[in-house]
Amino acid sequence: MIGTGGYICGAGILAAKKYHIPTMLHESNAFPGKAVKMLSKKVDTILISFEEARKELTQAKNIVLTGTPTKIKNISLNSMQKKEVLSRLGLKQEKPVLLIFGGSQGAKAINDAVTGLINQNLNSDYQIIWAPGPLQFNLVKQRIKNLSKQKELKLVPYIYNMEEVLNSVDLVLARSGAMTITEIAITGKPAIFVPLPNVSNNHQEYNAKVLENVGAAKIILNKDLTPEVLQKEITDILQDPQTLAKMGENARKIAIKNVEDKIYEEIQKLVK
């Protein structure tokens, strides 16, 4: 039996142990959740996505660093392919591109700051692909001044071709869920993270620090986020090609290859 965190794992894992069924947990965050920490001494194996999680699981029998499975891959797009992706979005290859997203629910603090940034015309030196989330999309459209004249902004409810978009942009602004961290590391993109506050164990900030600690990301706390603070971080990164390239290289350092194979190998060990 494999659990991936959350309170629902508790009853299932304990029942499996009672019947001598092999058990495994997968922790995708840098700071393990309560269920994983509570069950860590009972399960046979814990799979982790980031090395930082290991020190929090002191009672675990067996910890294996495997990473988190994701459908996003690092695809090497040539100049013409990137131009085609950006052209479909109405953008040009000549100017840097910032990708902004907050997941299906959106991220209000990020949306508010970006709206202010655009309305103050602070984004003249770069282009933006922005997915504020389906629930906040119409509100954001109403709040942006002269939306029809914003030639360097592509506003969409949600991004369905994330793999090719992520591989085509220069910088990412997002929350710092475990999957986002994984995908940014895989594609080697510099990032600015605004961790979601008030989540269990403040795990999004711990996730963001995984990339910040290797020089691949900057963190702006929710309470500190303003259009001006955001603009400074964006321009500091985008105006320096060497910084941009170095941050991307540093992000790739924590990416784990063959994640699915590693997880399958550990499953086989327990089954045998």
Side-chain angles (χ1 to χ4, degrees):
M1 180 172 179
I2 304 173
T4 56
Y7 71 92
I8 196 66
C9 284
I13 292 290
L14 293 175
K17 293 300 293 183
K18 181 179 178 181
Y19 289 99
H20 306 291
I21 296 170
T23 54
M24 175 182 287
L25 288 171
H26 182 278
E27 177 54 74
S28 59
N29 291 297
F31 193 97
K34 292 179 180 178
V36 171
K37 292 185 77 170
M38 181 188 75
L39 297 168
S40 61
K41 63 182 177 181
K42 297 183 179 296
V43 298
D44 297 296
T45 298
I46 297 182
L47 311 179
I48 58 175
S49 297
F50 305 112
E51 191 60 47
E52 285 78 357
R54 190 183 299 272
K55 62 179 180 291
E56 302 295 331
L57 300 168
T58 56
Q59 295 182 302
K61 301 175 187 175
N62 182 36
I63 302 174
V64 182
L65 178 66
T66 61
T68 293
T70 173
K71 64 181 180 181
I72 299 292
K73 305 300 179 188
N74 182 10
I75 52 177
S76 182
L77 299 176
N78 60 37
S79 180
M80 287 301 296
Q81 289 171 321
K82 286 184 179 180
K83 183 177 181 180
E84 182 182 342
V85 172
L86 295 176
S87 178
R88 291 202 301 268
L89 294 166
L91 302 177
K92 300 176 181 178
Q93 195 177 17
E94 289 72 30
K95 273 191 178 181
V97 181
L98 169 67
L99 170 63
I100 306 169
F101 60 91
S104 58
Q105 302 300 312
K108 186 178 183 303
I110 294 177
N111 290 346
D112 289 347
V114 175
T115 299
L117 185 154
I118 292 171
N119 285 342
Q120 294 178 51
N121 298 313
L122 300 177
N123 62 310
S124 58
D125 294 329
Y126 56 91
Q127 304 170 100
I128 297 174
I129 302 171
W130 182 13
L135 297 180
Q136 297 187 41
F137 178 70
N138 288 329
L139 177 61
V140 167
K141 280 180 65 178
Q142 294 168 11
R143 292 177 60 196
I144 294 178
K145 299 175 183 177
N146 302 314
L147 179 59
S148 62
K149 297 181 180 179
Q150 297 287 347
K151 302 302 181 184
E152 295 177 330
L153 167 65
K154 179 63 177 180
L155 188 68
V156 295
Y158 195 75
I159 297 172
Y160 294 96
N161 59 330
M162 182 59 86
E163 184 174 79
E164 66 175 3
V165 170
L166 195 52
N167 277 283
S168 300
V169 301
D170 300 286
L171 177 64
V172 176
L173 168 63
R175 293 295 197 193
S176 48
M179 191 62 74
T180 298
I181 299 292
T182 298
E183 292 172 352
I184 286 174
I186 287 172
T187 53
K189 296 299 173 181
I192 299 171
F193 292 121
V194 184
L196 179 65
N198 305 318
V199 292
S200 60
N201 300 312
N202 197 27
H203 68 256
Q204 284 215 358
E205 190 172 340
Y206 282 94
N207 291 344
K209 285 180 178 177
V210 170
L211 282 172
E212 183 190 53
N213 289 341
V214 296
K218 300 291 185 179
I219 297 175
I220 304 175
L221 297 181
N222 219 65
K223 64 182 180 63
D224 300 326
L225 184 63
T226 66
E228 294 76 19
V229 168
L230 179 57
Q231 173 67 6
K232 184 180 186 308
E233 290 288 5
I234 292 170
T235 54
D236 282 352
I237 297 171
L238 288 181
Q239 70 185 2
D240 186 348
Q242 289 186 332
T243 295
L244 198 66
K246 187 62 178 176
M247 289 178 73
E249 290 174 13
N250 291 339
R252 278 188 284 269
K253 289 178 182 177
I254 71 159
I256 299 175
K257 297 180 180 179
N258 305 317
V259 172
E260 294 85 353
D261 292 339
K262 287 181 170 66
I263 293 174
Y264 181 58
E265 182 180 341
E266 296 305 317
I267 292 172
Q268 281 187 309
K269 290 177 183 177
L270 290 188
V271 171
K272 290 178 180 178

